[in-house]
Amino acid sequence: MKLYGSLTSPYVRKARILIREKDLACEFVVADAWAADSPIPALNPLGKVPVLALDNGDVLFDSPVIIEYLDSLKAPALLPASGAARWEMLRWQALADGILDAVVDRLLELRRPVAQQSSDKIRRQEEKVARSHEYIARHLSNGPWLMSDRFTLADLAIGVALEYTDFRYPHAWRGRHPRLGSWLAGIGARPSFIETLPPGMEKK
Ligand SMILES: N[C@@H](CCC(=O)N[C@@H](CS)C(=O)NCC(=O)O)C(=O)O
């Protein structure tokens, strides 16, 4: 099994963290989706990472599909197979992925020539992030986990989304949500998170 992706993509990082948490045998192939000679479009017509190449020749994308496949390989499940908890967990993942989409869209807009940037678009993405942080903070439990009594996909996905906010859209959100900041410090201390930090964010 091979996971294709970049060291900075948060969608790829979700899969890398799950692989590390479950100690799965999977080769990580560093591939840049944007490079002219990228192998990614031949594997995924959408031209996006992550891509998971299975040993039987099948190829899976995108990250929620890859997460669900990898999770099915070894217990304990980080995503429940059925019931209300499954839908709640998938909602957390959808929220996390939505934060990633908003931070990526904001970043791509800021990378355009200044004269072509839309301040409306940037503000709209920043509002999505702010509302989502507020939502997560409001739904925090008193313990270390968002759901259940152990680490789950909810913690994995939201932890990645908040650290990606720090990476690409650093701002003082902890001042508004100090408990969320403490929660993230706990999740971010897991070896799976530390070992997959994007270059430049490594903890000393
Ligand atoms: N919904 C996709 C998003 C993946 C995604 O946007 N990946 C970015 C890297 S962070 C990418 O490959 N972008 C290349 C492109 O959009 O052409 C997923 O969850 O896998």
Side-chain angles (χ1 to χ4, degrees), residues 9-11 33-34 47-50 62-64:
S9 167
Y11 309 95
W34 300 94
K48 294 183 178 195
V49 290
D62 53 21
S63 67

Side-chain angles (χ1 to χ4, degrees), residues 9-164:
S9 167
Y11 309 95
V12 174
R13 189 175 180 219
K14 285 196 303 169
R16 292 173 67 207
I17 289 175
L18 197 148
I19 287 166
R20 171 64 173 78
E21 289 283 343
K22 295 210 163 196
D23 196 20
L24 299 172
C26 183
E27 183 186 340
F28 182 45
V29 182
V30 177
D32 178 358
W34 300 94
D37 60 348
S38 174
I40 299 304
L43 294 164
N44 172 2
L46 298 172
K48 294 183 178 195
V49 290
V51 170
L52 186 71
L54 307 186
D55 293 339
N56 68 3
D58 283 349
V59 170
L60 296 180
F61 52 84
D62 53 21
S63 67
V65 178
I66 291 174
I67 288 286
E68 190 145 357
Y69 176 78
L70 292 171
D71 193 37
S72 74
L73 297 179
K74 205 192 243 187
L78 297 190
L79 170 65
S82 62
R86 175 178 173 79
W87 308 121
E88 193 182 335
M89 191 86 66
L90 288 175
R91 188 181 61 210
W92 279 118
Q93 180 172 231
L95 182 69
D97 288 351
I99 294 172
L100 300 181
D101 294 345
V103 174
V104 168
D105 280 358
R106 175 184 177 277
L107 182 70
L108 295 180
E109 192 63 23
L110 284 167
R111 283 181 175 168
R112 283 153 51 87
V114 175
Q116 290 172 26
Q117 289 176 15
S118 159
S119 54
D120 270 4
K121 178 163 186 184
I122 293 166
R123 197 195 61 243
R124 215 175 144 71
Q125 306 313 316
E126 293 181 350
E127 286 170 356
K128 290 178 199 295
V129 174
R131 277 195 306 267
S132 301
H133 285 187
E134 207 279 313
Y135 178 99
I136 303 164
R138 199 163 11 103
H139 286 83
L140 275 183
S141 68
N142 288 324
W145 317 120
L146 284 172
M147 287 183 61
S148 181
D149 54 359
R150 63 183 175 86
F151 180 77
T152 67
L153 175 58
D155 305 305
L156 188 163
I158 294 294
V160 166
L162 293 177
E163 287 200 338
Y164 191 65

Side-chain angles (χ1 to χ4, degrees), residues 13 99-100 103 106 129 133 158-174 180-181 184-185 197-198 200-201 203:
R13 189 175 180 219
I99 294 172
L100 300 181
V103 174
R106 175 184 177 277
V129 174
H133 285 187
I158 294 294
V160 166
L162 293 177
E163 287 200 338
Y164 191 65
T165 308
D166 285 339
F167 183 48
R168 293 303 198 197
Y169 172 30
H171 63 289
W173 59 265
R174 285 173 179 76
L180 186 56
L184 181 60
L197 276 169
M201 272 197 88
K203 291 176 183 157

